[in-house]
Every structure is written in structure tokens, then in C-alpha cells.
Amino acid sequence: MIPSLHYRSAAAIACLLAFLAGFAPGDASAALDETRVLSLLNAQSCATAMRQRLAYVQETPSPSPAPTTSPAASPSPRPTPSLAPVLGGFTQLYATPRPTGTPVTPPPLPTPTPTPTGGAPIFLTRTTGESPPPITPAGGTPLTSPSPAPSSVPTLQPGHVAVIADTVEGIGEGKPGDATGNVHIYYAQGELVGDKAHYDGARTITVTGHPYILDSARDSLLSGDEIDFDTIAQTAVIKNARGTSAQGLERGLVHFAAKDLHSDADGVTHGKNTTVSTCENQRGGYHLTGKKVDEYPGDKLVITDAILWLGAAAVFFLPKVIIPLRQVVDQRQRPTFFPNAGYDQAEGAWVKESIGFGRNQYYYGYYQVNYFTKLGLALGYVGFFARKNGRRSGGANVLETHNRITQTQQDNIALQETENFSQRLRGNFGFNYTSNFGPLQHVPANTGLTAAFVHQGDRGSQNYSFSRNATIGQSSTESFAFTDQRQFSSRLSQGVNFTLNSSQSSFGGLAASNGSAHVNTLTTLNEPSANYTLTIDKNYSHSPSGIIDKLPELQIHPTTVFSHLPIPISPQLTIGEYAEPQDQFSTVRSDLSVNMGPALYDVYGSQLQASVNVHQFAYATGDLKAAIQQSASLTTPIGKHVVNALSYSEQNFNGPAAVPFVLLDTQSSTNTKNAQDLVRFFNGDVYNLTLGFSTSFKALAQPVSYQFAMRPSTRSYVLLGGSFSPGSGLGFSTTNLQMSTPFGKDAQLQLVTDVDWKNKARLENKTLYYSKIIGDCYEIRVAYIQSLKAINVTMDLLSFPSRAANFGIGQNGPIIPTSFNP
């Protein structure tokens, strides 16, 4: 948002300054043309260029001494006169390589044979104009640089700074001086522009006269009364800073101001007495003021002691506001910017607020403050932490409620931690305690504890897990599981799973307990001609129920049989011994299945699709049974606005329904068939009407389904759906209505309801949603849910990433969510 002021420039500026300051009118060295100088600087470091400069001067006559024009300049054997334009299109160019170390004193003056400390100098052409360029709002067209450099100009390397000005006075070997007239300072992170720049000869460049900073991405601009640039400490200070930025936004611009703005060595920007807003008209919209602001580039903006202003009215105080400058997936990093207010029948009127905190990406979260007029006060903490080395991370979610209804204190706690013991061993641990299941819920509290260890080897992995869940005073369950997965070769693999469970319960003075164990192995062999799967599945339990054991089961799936036929045919043979412990019955069973299709055909412009699946079962008891499922569909376009889709399905069974097994291969005793016809009338996205007819061939009239969607305008939408049952006293049943329409400028009204035709077309289960965008800046949403007798009011900024959930028609489920809480 605020452009980073982390200048990765160097301090050894005196070398090249002294070299370029030697060119002056009347000096024989002025015979050097621009090509000569540029080639010198491009081919050599500052030290090498100095040596060539001195060698050239020794070959030419020395000019007569001339008085210096700078009163601060000290006498020298070679006085420097005032400078006139040289080097073609610009007057002065000087570059500074970054030193190899971190000096604590100004760098020494260069000698005729210094040791190079940085890369080659960078050449830049002059930019025209001194007015700050406009910043394109987020979501707009890309901003074109006001002074694009030619393609032949090399990119400025990290750690280098280049300065261009009309005139330079007094700058010599380690001496202070001034650069005036259209001053441009180029560095790796951006460009610093002003009317005048003063260099103290050691480390600081002070820029005045309408100074501003434009970042390298050309999406942030900072201006102020004075900008102090420290080339050694790599920091800058802006007095009375103000600016605009589109960095990290989804929409529009952010406008900000601060009394003093400076950056530290880590690139974090700090300011005092700040004002932040995304509204072009702050008096008609909102703005935030705070005692302190910290901007972490590409991460977040933190405002301390923030006050929210709507127009000229201060409406809310927050100890800390955290605004993300990137897409946020973790909900713990997305606190609300404004409090949510509402009312429902169970909790009464309420206000909910999330107050963010966090030093960096290794520790962050928010405090939750909820107040209900009926339920009481609820305080919560949601936090995340991580080690910088990546070995440990975790989170905590705690909510404490002082329930006025039950006159009790209820606590919900959830803790989670992940430990990376090594590159191959990882552990996950979790704990939760829940005493409050919601308003008016009076159930015993429960606890949960989980632990899991995962080991990843070169050819296999192991997983150990343990869990315990208990309802205090009623029941408890423990579970231990082990899984081993092995890859013996590219074709052969095996998985082994073992689970041990135990449970205890106590109700009305009666106690009961149960234990069970489950062993499962799955061995897979993939050959070019077929795939083989061997399964062993065995259960042990004191009270078996709904269990089928496989001792073992072999599946053979040929891959080359019938591959030459035009219709896909996939056979599979399954054979094994099966047992039902609850019935104390076991026998051998085989299942030969053949799946044919789907077959696709183009018949006179229509699409025909058909498939058949056949199962033949045989048992060692002598029982036989079979099942056939068939399906077909025909889709026919009629003109440009009508499509007819006809589908048919049939299931036929032969043999006893529940013999010999009670749970395995159970099938219906009657055959079924069904046909459906869907007719769709449409005209682009203007309207769409779908009618559905179905029959089960039982001489009974079936309901006719309908769905009608219409878009009267680009901002409105209507959806109707329901069914019609033919017959006396039947007719139309309930119709679902969803509607969205403009309701004033930048406002939208949405309605979801059911029309009860049997009750004088009364509207039931109404959900009403109203949204209003104010000043293209923030959005206010109001929702009314009739079934809950609840009203919810929320407010979100439009500019910041992941500001809220998406609302609107066309999503899964109703067009209005039942909750607007972030």
C-alpha cells in the first residue's frame, strides 16, 4: 500500500562523484565526447575509470587555474569551476556501487589505484517533467511509465544509485554539494524526484522542492515537504508524507498521510499520526486515523489506536486494525474491519467485533468480542504461531461466554499443533473442549484429544494415530490406528491398516462397554494384461453388527480383452470367501461383471448414448442370482431455441433377494424402469424455461417439474422453481422464488422465499438482503431472515483483498447465505 522505502543503495558515492566532477569547461578533458565517457563507465568499474581518466589527463596540457564558484569548496591544486552541460543530453550522471561491508564512517576518498567494491555503473537517460505521475487504480489499465527508458539501457543492478540533474555545484572528493534542476535519483526499488538535492559528502542526500518517490512497479507514489535519503543505512525519512497507492488492492486507490514516515533496514515502513482511506471523498465516505502505522510490503498494514470516522463523525475505536495486502486463505488472518451488528430471537441484539494482532507471519490472529443482550458477553482469542525454521506451527481458538440465561460460564477451546521432527517424521496434535453448543442448548460438555505421527520412507510410509472423545458423565471412546503403505516395485504395492476401538457408556446408572478391532490388507499387482487386487478384511467385536469379512477376496480386471471392439467392454471377476459374523454364516462367492459402454452415436443431428452393466453371482451354497442395469439418452436440438433430452433406465433382477447373505448382494425383488423427458426453451441469457416429465410405467400421473429463469436487465434476475401434480385437489405446490433487482444507485435488493399456493399464495421462509455501495468505497449489507427472526448488518471495504464472501444468485444453495460473519 505505502511504497517501500527500503533503498538497497551503496555508500561509496565519492569515487564516481570526484571522477565526474573533474569534467569542466576549459578543461582539456572536456574533449572527451559522450561516447568516450559512456564506454569508459560501461566497461570499467569506478576505480578503473578513474585510472583511465588520470592517464588521459597526463597526456593533455593542464588548464590554467580558475576560481571556484562554491564558497564551501576548499583550495586544491586543481580547482573545479562551475559546471556547464556536457555528456550530450544531460549534465551530470553519477552512480554509487554498494560497499561490500557495512561502514560506520564515511567512505575514504579514492586513490589512483583503488580496489573495486561494486558492479559496473548503470547508464540512464533523462526523464522529462517533474509533476508526479498519476497512479492507476487497482483493476484499471496498467500504468505507462512517464519516462520509459530505451531498450538499450541496461537495468539498474541491486545496490546501485544513479543521479541526474541540470547543474551540480561543489560536489568533489568527499565534499558536500548541491544538485539543482530536475533532479532524478534512480535506485533498484524506484525513483526519487525533486527540484534540489543536497549531498553532505558522507552518506545523506536531502531532496526538497516538491519531492516525491515513485516505486519500481509504478503503482505507489509518496510526496512530502522533505525527503532524507541515507545511502549507508538504506533508510529514508519523509516529513509530512502523503500519497496514493494501488499496491495490494482489489479496487480503487488508498490515500494516506503521516506526519513523519521512515523505513527500517528490513523494509518495514513506520509513520506517526496517520490517516488512511480508500475513498476519493473522505468527508462523504470513511477514513481511519491512528497514532501509528506500520506497513509490511506485500503483507499487511497495521494501524495502532485506530478511530473509524464516517464523514465527520467518529463512530468506533479499535486498539489495532490489521489490513491484509494479499489474498487471505487462513480465516485467522482475516479479522473484520468494522463491527457487525444484528438481532435474533434467541440471542437478542448483538455486536460482534474482531480485533487483529500480530508481529509478523509467524504470529498473528485476532481477539473476538461479542455482546448479546440476552445471552451476555463472549470473549475469544484466535491465534496462529510458527517457528521460523518451519519445525513447529500451531493455533489456538478460545471462546468464553458468560451466559445470562443459564447463569453459567461456558468455554470452547480448540488447540492444534504440528511438529516436524525431521524431514521424514511429522506429528499432529489437537485438543478441543466444548461446553457451549449454542443458545438455549443444555447438553453435557465434551472433550476431544488427537495425536498422529507420519513417517515417510523411500518406498513406504507409516501412520500412527490416537483419538479420544468423551461426553462428560455419559460416554467415552478411544481409538488407535496404524497404517503401513509399501511400494515393492513399480507394479506391486501393499497397504496394511489396523484399528483398535473401545467405548464405555453410562445412562441411568447402567454401564456398558464394547471393544472392536479391524484388520485390512490391500495388495495390488498391475500387469500389462490385467490388474489384480487381493483384499483381506477381518473384524473382531463383542457385539458385531453390519459387518462383512473378506477372507480373502481376489479381483481380476483384464485390460486387453475385447479391446478391438468399437464399443468399450470392461469385464471383471471377483471371487472370495465372505462371512457375516452377526449371522454366523460364511461361504464362497463369485461375481462376474461386464460393463458395456458408454456408446456414443450421432443420429440425424441427435446425440445417442447407451450403456449396459451385467452381474452374475454364484455361491458355494448353490444359489445363483443376476442383475442387469441399462440406460440410454437421446438429446435432440429443435431449431435454435429448443432442446429435448429423453432418457430411459431399467433394472432387472433374477434370483432370491436376500439369500444366502443378508447384507451382501441384497437386491430388489421387483424390476423397475423409468423414463424422463426434459424440454428446454431458451434465448441466450434472456430467459430459460425447463419442463420435466417422468414416468415409472405404473399408470400413475407423475408431477411435472419446472424452472424458469429470466434476466430482465443486466443487473436483475428472477428464478422460479417447483412442480405441478396433475389430479383433483393437487395442482401447484410450493414454488421457490429468487429475485435480484437494482434498488437505487449502487444498491441491490435480493429476495429468497417460498410461495405457498395452497395458502392464498402466501410468502413463507423469507430472506431479504440489501446491499449499498457508498462512494465506490465501502459496502453496507443488511439481511433479514424470517425463519430465525434475525437481522444482520455488516460493512466491508471494497479495496482490500479477500474482504468478504461472495453474495449473489447463481451460487450453490440459496442466493443469500444465512451468516454474514467473516
Side-chain angles (χ1 to χ4, degrees), residues 361-415:
Q361 67 270 32
Y362 302 106
Y363 178 63
Y364 57 85
Y366 62 90
Y367 301 104
Q368 188 173 355
V369 181
N370 302 337
Y371 178 75
F372 308 86
T373 56
K374 291 185 178 180
L375 188 63
L377 179 66
L379 302 176
Y381 166 89
V382 179
F384 171 82
F385 73 91
R387 293 280 299 274
K388 292 185 178 181
N389 58 13
R391 297 198 57 177
R392 179 180 301 165
S393 63
N397 191 335
V398 181
L399 180 66
E400 179 180 291
T401 303
H402 300 271
N403 196 321
R404 292 181 178 177
I405 300 176
T406 61
Q407 295 297 317
T408 59
Q409 175 178 310
Q410 300 168 329
D411 299 284
N412 294 344
I413 302 173
L415 306 176

Side-chain angles (χ1 to χ4, degrees), residues 475-637:
S475 62
S476 64
T477 302
E478 292 85 22
S479 176
F480 171 78
F482 166 75
T483 300
D484 181 85
Q485 187 69 36
R486 299 282 179 174
Q487 188 72 37
F488 299 107
S489 67
S490 60
R491 297 182 179 181
L492 181 62
S493 63
Q494 185 183 61
V496 178
N497 179 68
F498 172 76
T499 303
L500 181 64
N501 300 305
S502 64
S503 61
Q504 298 82 30
S505 61
S506 177
F507 295 97
L510 300 178
S513 62
N514 189 21
S516 63
H518 178 213
V519 179
N520 176 275
T521 65
L522 182 66
T523 306
T524 302
L525 176 63
N526 297 320
E527 293 290 344
S529 59
N531 298 329
Y532 303 88
T533 302
L534 181 65
T535 302
I536 300 177
D537 195 286
K538 178 62 176 176
N539 293 272
Y540 303 90
S541 176
H542 296 299
S543 303
S545 177
I547 296 175
I548 298 176
D549 291 336
K550 303 176 182 180
L551 305 170
E553 177 190 76
L554 176 64
Q555 289 184 347
I556 304 175
H557 182 196
T559 57
T560 58
V561 179
F562 308 120
S563 59
H564 61 285
L565 297 179
I567 301 176
I569 298 179
S570 178
Q572 179 173 292
L573 175 64
T574 304
I575 186 171
E577 181 178 355
Y578 303 85
E580 293 180 344
Q582 58 271 21
D583 301 327
Q584 298 183 355
F585 174 79
S586 65
T587 189
V588 176
R589 161 206 180 250
S590 64
D591 172 20
L592 177 62
S593 65
V594 179
N595 184 40
M596 294 173 284
L600 303 175
Y601 299 96
D602 191 350
V603 182
Y604 299 105
S606 300
Q607 296 293 326
L608 175 63
Q609 178 176 326
S611 63
V612 178
N613 186 268
V614 180
H615 282 271
Q616 176 63 60
F617 303 98
Y619 306 91
T621 58
D623 296 298
L624 298 174
K625 63 171 65 176
I628 300 176
Q629 292 87 29
Q630 307 174 64
S631 63
S633 64
L634 179 66
T635 303
T636 305

